[in-house]
Amino acid sequence: EASKNDDAFPVVMAAIVAAVDEHGDLMRAAISSPGNDFRLGACEAPPAIISAYLGGDMTKYLEDFMNGAKSMYEPGKKVLDLGVSEVLPFEVPAEDRNRTSPFPYGGGRFEFRAVGSSQNVSLVNTVLNTITADKFDEFATRIEAGEDPAEIARATLKKHWKVIFNGDNYCLDAQQDLTDRGVWRIDSGVEAIAQLSSKKNIELFKKTGVLTEEECKARQDVLHDHYTGTVEMEALCLVEMINGHVIPSVKAAGAGPLEGLQAIVPKIKDAVAAIHAAETSFEKASLARTLRLETMVEMRETCDEAEEVVPADLWTLATYKELLFLDSHTTVKDPVGSDYGDFE
């Protein structure tokens, strides 16, 4: 719309689709963290399968283009009625961003929805800019050599169409279908980070002048060490909470899985010791992932069993009820002689 060049739009879209299909491993690496290993595939986050959502209107437009038909991309609109008299019904784009897709198109843009809320987006933007720039460079080189831009885009879409998925990414059958298609799927954040040093990706970063081989490997080690450090802090904090709160509460109540709690604390400490004994950053991070997603989850279940049976007055940790409804479940008395609550 801005360029007034209808012929350029499908070419640009083809380049982006191809970039996502070829470099989904890098996109997954850029969003890897301990938190995302829990979050992806749940909590309104897409799974760790890097597909792209186009929506009905864009999909039809690109399919027509790919098959040689001439059409215009005209996104539909729908009326949104909030059901309140103070706000009149208003028109919004009909394209649904599809909250289960990691890379949906809508509202004139792509959105990388798999990025964690606490993540620094510098690596994410570096990856997105690099993979698209590489595809634009490839297209430009071929066009300058005399190839027809539209034919390049059509062939590219046909080759990479498998990465397009407009359905429910939470559906297990759909996830298996995408996996069978060959769409990038790396469930482990640790394994995804390791893709930074793959031959394909080192060559990509070197070709575009973004990172050298040494810089790729250094960033991989740093990300693995960050993953390990985050898990270690959480594990040691968990041990402290169990020893200082959960076990004393269970003992005071005379109820709860005391033996289970006492047995798993050394297990966590041993796992942390094993991480320190590992030689490489990758090995340390792999052990940390197992600790967080298996051992610590097991501990969480044991702590939940304790919380269910220990009386509230003996449970010294804040409950979800207290955290979520603090105002209705907590009483605060004004200190004698203070001006607490006096806002005049």
Side-chain angles (χ1 to χ4, degrees):
E1 184 175 340
S3 67
K4 308 300 182 184
N5 184 353
D6 293 337
D7 294 334
F9 183 63
V11 178
V12 171
M13 292 296 290
I16 295 174
V17 167
V20 174
D21 187 29
E22 288 186 11
H23 300 296
D25 59 332
L26 269 181
M27 294 172 66
R28 176 66 177 93
I31 58 167
S32 296
S33 68
N36 249 2
D37 270 357
F38 265 127
R39 170 179 169 266
L40 294 179
C43 307
E44 292 194 7
I49 305 172
I50 307 300
S51 63
Y53 164 89
L54 297 180
D57 295 331
M58 178 60 72
T59 298
K60 183 180 184 307
Y61 166 73
L62 288 180
E63 281 184 328
D64 288 345
F65 170 81
M66 183 171 59
N67 295 322
K70 187 73 173 179
S71 65
M72 295 292 293
Y73 172 56
E74 298 177 346
K77 295 184 177 181
K78 61 183 178 182
V79 176
L80 185 63
D81 187 351
L82 300 181
V84 294
S85 58
E86 289 79 2
V87 180
L88 293 175
F90 55 93
E91 284 190 344
V92 297
E95 295 289 8
D96 182 355
R97 290 182 304 157
N98 190 338
R99 299 185 67 83
T100 71
S101 174
F103 201 67
Y105 178 85
R109 70 188 188 281
F110 279 100
E111 177 183 350
F112 196 8
R113 292 206 63 255
V115 184
S117 61
S118 64
Q119 286 187 267
N120 185 311
V121 297
S122 58
L123 180 59
V124 173
N125 287 333
T126 297
V127 166
L128 293 177
N129 288 335
T130 301
I131 65 177
T132 51
D134 179 63
K135 272 298 159 188
F136 291 154
D137 177 64
E138 177 189 322
F139 277 29
T141 300
R142 293 173 63 182
I143 292 169
E144 290 170 358
E147 292 189 55
D148 179 38
E151 289 305 316
I152 295 173
R154 289 190 180 98
T156 300
L157 286 171
K158 290 177 181 179
K159 178 180 179 181
H160 298 284
W161 195 256
K162 69 176 184 291
V163 80
I164 304 302
F165 180 67
N166 293 334
D168 180 5
N169 286 263
Y170 284 172
C171 173
L172 296 181
D173 290 339
Q175 291 181 11
Q176 187 58 53
D177 176 58
L178 288 169
T179 304
D180 293 341
R181 291 188 203 178
V183 176
W184 278 105
R185 174 178 186 169
I186 309 176
D187 293 328
S188 166
V190 175
E191 296 286 347
I193 291 170
Q195 294 298 313
L196 285 172
S197 64
S198 72
K199 181 179 179 180
K200 170 182 79 74
N201 293 330
I202 288 176
E203 290 178 353
L204 169 69
F205 283 122
K206 287 174 65 177
K207 172 187 174 184
T208 52
V210 176
L211 295 172
T212 65
E213 179 175 349
E214 292 75 14
E215 288 170 333
C216 288
K217 292 180 178 178
R219 278 159 177 75
Q220 174 179 305
D221 286 344
V222 168
L223 288 172
H224 277 151
D225 289 345
H226 181 270
Y227 192 108
T228 300
T230 300
V231 173
E232 181 178 355
M233 285 189 291
E234 293 180 355
L236 295 178
C237 179
L238 178 59
V239 168
E240 185 175 312
M241 292 173 69
I242 292 168
N243 285 335
H245 292 275
V246 182
I247 289 178
S249 294
V250 168
K251 287 181 177 179
L258 179 59
E259 291 184 0
L261 291 166
Q262 292 174 328
I264 203 168
V265 168
K267 190 174 180 181
I268 294 178
K269 291 182 177 180
D270 289 344
V272 172
I275 290 172
H276 284 276
E279 294 185 359
T280 68
S281 294
F282 175 76
E283 291 170 346
K284 291 176 185 290
S286 297
L287 291 172
R289 186 175 189 272
T290 300
L291 169 59
R292 196 176 201 269
L293 297 183
E294 295 180 17
T295 310
M296 291 171 65
V297 168
E298 178 186 347
M299 172 58 84
R300 162 65 188 274
E301 294 171 353
T302 306
C303 290
D304 285 346
E305 292 176 17
E307 187 177 353
E308 288 179 358
V309 297
V310 172
D313 60 331
L314 297 177
W315 189 258
T316 57
L317 292 171
T319 64
Y320 277 118
K321 182 175 73 172
E322 291 167 339
L323 292 171
L324 294 173
F325 307 103
L326 183 66
D327 57 337
S328 58
H329 291 278
T330 303
T331 302
V332 179
K333 295 182 179 179
D334 293 354
V336 178
S338 74
D339 60 356
Y340 178 82
D342 184 0
F343 299 100
E344 296 181 358

